[in-house]
Amino acid sequence: MTMEQNLCAAEAIIFASGDGISTQKLMEVLELDVKQLQFILESLSEKYNHEKSGIKFVKNTEQVFFTTDKDYSECVYKALSQKKNSPLSNAAMETLAIIAYNQPVSRSFIEQVRGVDSSSSVQTLLARNLIEEAGRLDIPGKPISYRTTPVFLRSFSLEGLEQLPKIKTNSPVGEAYQLDLEESEDA
């Protein structure tokens, strides 16, 4: 690669790393020597570390990373906190209810109850830490199962799952819950 391509690649890698990457790893991946790496790091510093940039390039003794300029921290906080506090969609709430009442459950179980693809809802709930992976089910294919988290309980002011409201058995969630209860009573 040319030096310009290495510069662009380094910039992309550092950005994608999020929390930073060691200079040693950057040298290894891009097959650079110390002098070439130093040139790239100086170039990135010149590009980002000036008054008119909202992004700053940081190099400490162990790693390099990008961060936001402290002058814009309030704006960044507002933008990101609004996203996190936005309400869940109806689809995500349905998915969460199915998981809460039937856990641990696989995504295919959720999709069977809902009748539609639920991968987006599951990803949303995982990102908000309302559900987590609960291991793999002991059925063919060994699918990942999901369960609720303590964040779920805290978010809905519950001390435990036994405090979940009772559901009507004529709803899809209720039918699934009823099936689950009947199976566990037979055991």
Side-chain angles (χ1 to χ4, degrees):
M1 280 199 274
T2 67
M3 189 53 79
E4 185 177 341
Q5 289 171 322
N6 278 328
L7 177 62
C8 291
E11 183 178 36
I13 292 167
I14 296 165
F15 175 79
S17 71
D19 293 333
I21 187 167
S22 73
T23 53
Q24 185 63 39
K25 180 75 173 174
L26 207 51
M27 279 179 29
E28 289 171 18
V29 170
L30 297 175
E31 299 174 355
L32 302 171
D33 60 35
V34 175
K35 192 174 182 179
Q36 291 170 318
L37 179 69
Q38 187 175 4
F39 173 80
I40 287 173
L41 299 181
E42 287 172 7
S43 298
L44 289 172
S45 183
E46 286 175 25
K47 181 176 180 179
Y48 289 100
N49 295 342
H50 55 80
E51 282 183 39
K52 295 183 181 184
S53 178
I55 297 173
K56 299 298 178 194
F57 174 73
V58 179
K59 178 185 179 295
N60 62 28
T61 56
E62 296 178 16
Q63 61 182 9
V64 290
F65 55 94
F66 288 113
T67 187
T68 54
D69 186 316
K70 66 181 185 293
D71 293 341
Y72 304 105
S73 60
E74 189 175 324
C75 298
V76 171
Y77 177 77
K78 280 182 187 179
L80 296 180
S81 66
Q82 286 176 352
K83 183 179 179 183
K84 288 182 181 177
N85 293 330
S86 62
L88 291 173
S89 67
N90 287 340
M93 286 298 283
E94 286 175 6
T95 302
L96 186 57
I98 292 165
I99 295 168
Y101 283 97
N102 297 285
Q103 60 188 303
V105 298
S106 66
R107 196 175 78 213
S108 65
F109 177 85
I110 297 164
E111 291 171 355
Q112 180 182 7
V113 173
R114 291 192 63 228
V116 295
D117 179 65
S118 298
S119 54
S120 176
S121 296
V122 168
Q123 289 306 313
T124 297
L125 296 171
L126 285 168
R128 293 192 183 198
N129 200 24
L130 293 170
I131 63 169
E132 64 188 0
E133 291 185 9
R136 299 217 174 242
L137 293 176
D138 193 21
I139 59 175
K142 302 231 182 251
I144 296 171
S145 64
Y146 299 96
R147 65 178 171 226
T148 56
T149 65
V151 172
F152 163 79
L153 295 174
R154 191 170 51 248
S155 297
F156 289 90
S157 301
L158 300 170
E159 291 178 19
L161 294 174
E162 64 280 351
Q163 290 185 320
L164 284 170
K166 300 297 179 219
I167 55 175
K168 298 175 186 170
T169 57
N170 62 349
S171 72
V173 174
E175 289 172 13
Y177 184 67
Q178 192 67 29
L179 286 172
D180 197 37
L181 280 179
E182 289 169 4
E183 290 171 8
S184 63
E185 288 172 0
D186 293 340

